[in-house]
Amino acid sequence: MLIHQSLLTTFSSSELQNFLLVPFTQHYTILSKVKELNERLFYIHLCANEHLTVKALVKAIEADEFHHQHQMPSNFSSTIKKADLYKKAILAFKDEYQLDFINTEELGIRDIEDVDERVVENAIVHNIKNFIMTLGNGFSFIGNQYHINVLGHDHFIDLLFFNRYLSCLVAVELKNGPFKPSYFGQLNTYLRVLDDCVRQPHENQSIGIILCRDADKNYVEYVAQDYEKPMGVAVYRTSNELPERLRQVLPDIDELKKLLDS
């Protein structure tokens, strides 16, 4: 703990409490891999609140989660009227998510030329919890292809969560390719249906997230301002460390949705 002693005087009471909750090995990992004080404090807070293992901490640092916090383009400022809820919503989402839930070592693959598409597919199904829980702390998974019928019309939401810190439903739509303005129209309808048919009286209004391959943040915020429901757009990345052959056999988002549905 001596290596952190000079920093303790800069901590607030809550930061000090977080500090004391984090094991020594995690502290050492943060010190060895992170140079800036604010960034170190972020990962200490992350470890304390999400009880990260050393492996999970290293993964978060390599994904550069510090620089992806609070950056998701959205219309939250105009659609979430409660100041405290707005702040929580900004903190709850990132602008980028790593979907690197396939581990070649766990698959027992020693020669990448022997990769079989079915083996990878089975691994995705086996690890699907890692995929659906990648949003972060406080999210509970409700269902995929969540069906709601309104006035004789069927609606199917790709992934539906509940966030206990926001006290609201969170609908996530998975999209191939870059962001398109039409995605907001579909998601806005889903949020209205959720608020009218699923949301409980004591819960806050539902939030929607588009998860796609690429998005221009300025353009997203420009388009989003005309919608009354709170929505944002995040991009997803697959691990650059995966061998090219393995990346080639990974399913795209449409295939992944089919696996979720099955």
Side-chain angles (χ1 to χ4, degrees):
M1 290 296 182
L2 293 176
I3 51 180
H4 264 315
Q5 190 171 8
S6 62
L7 302 178
L8 293 179
T9 56
T10 68
F11 287 180
S12 66
S13 58
S14 61
E15 289 171 341
L16 181 59
Q17 184 178 16
N18 286 336
F19 180 92
L20 296 174
L21 290 172
V22 176
F24 175 81
T25 306
Q26 278 84 333
H27 277 299
Y28 180 81
T29 301
I30 293 170
L31 278 173
S32 63
K33 292 183 174 292
V34 178
K35 304 304 179 185
E36 297 295 326
L37 175 59
N38 287 339
E39 192 170 348
R40 287 177 176 175
L41 293 176
F42 169 80
Y43 289 111
I44 289 173
H45 176 80
L46 195 67
C47 282
N49 283 271
E50 299 192 15
H51 309 289
L52 298 184
T53 63
V54 173
K55 182 178 179 180
L57 171 62
V58 171
K59 180 179 178 181
I61 294 173
E62 291 177 347
D64 198 16
E65 291 201 9
F66 174 75
H67 290 102
H68 289 297
Q69 60 172 334
H70 319 161
Q71 299 298 315
M72 186 183 71
S74 69
N75 63 355
F76 291 171
S77 61
S78 61
T79 57
I80 300 178
K81 304 303 182 183
K82 299 178 182 177
D84 60 333
L85 184 60
Y86 166 72
K87 182 177 180 181
K88 290 179 181 178
I90 292 296
L91 294 173
F93 302 100
K94 299 177 291 185
D95 66 334
E96 182 176 306
Y97 293 91
Q98 287 289 124
L99 304 186
D100 55 350
F101 45 85
I102 297 299
N103 186 318
T104 55
E105 293 181 1
E106 291 177 356
L107 294 180
I109 297 172
R110 300 186 181 279
D111 185 352
I112 200 60
E113 294 302 319
D114 292 335
V115 172
D116 179 81
E117 292 185 19
R118 181 59 60 180
V119 172
V120 176
E121 180 179 303
N122 289 339
I124 291 172
V125 174
H126 179 71
N127 289 286
I128 208 67
K129 181 180 178 181
N130 293 331
F131 171 73
I132 61 180
M133 296 310 296
T134 194
L135 278 175
N137 197 29
F139 287 89
S140 298
F141 181 58
I142 296 178
N144 59 282
Q145 294 302 308
Y146 191 87
H147 177 228
I148 309 172
N149 183 280
V150 176
L151 300 176
H153 294 268
D154 293 316
H155 302 81
F156 296 90
I157 300 171
D158 285 347
L159 300 173
L160 184 62
F161 297 84
F162 185 84
N163 185 282
R164 63 191 185 95
Y165 299 122
L166 300 174
S167 187
C168 76
L169 296 162
V170 178
V172 178
E173 283 296 295
L174 307 173
K175 302 295 183 182
N176 271 320
F179 167 77
K180 296 179 181 179
S182 59
Y183 296 158
F184 272 158
Q186 178 191 37
L187 186 57
N188 194 72
T189 299
Y190 288 168
L191 295 178
R192 177 169 296 281
V193 170
L194 282 172
D195 284 342
D196 289 347
C197 303
V198 182
R199 179 171 68 102
Q200 297 298 307
H202 65 278
E203 295 173 356
N204 293 310
Q205 63 181 330
S206 304
I207 291 177
I209 305 297
I210 300 292
L211 189 58
C212 56
R213 274 290 187 182
D214 189 38
D216 181 322
K217 292 184 178 182
N218 292 330
Y219 184 58
V220 167
E221 292 182 341
Y222 174 76
V223 174
Q225 62 185 334
D226 285 336
Y227 291 91
E228 64 183 52
K229 297 295 185 181
M231 298 183 291
V233 175
V235 299
Y236 68 89
R237 303 278 183 248
T238 53
S239 175
N240 292 327
E241 297 178 357
L242 289 177
E244 178 61 29
R245 174 163 167 74
L246 183 54
R247 291 202 300 269
Q248 288 175 354
V249 299
L250 286 174
D252 60 20
I253 283 294
D254 288 337
E255 291 299 318
L256 192 55
K257 285 192 288 187
K258 291 178 183 178
L259 291 174
L260 279 164
D261 196 34
S262 63

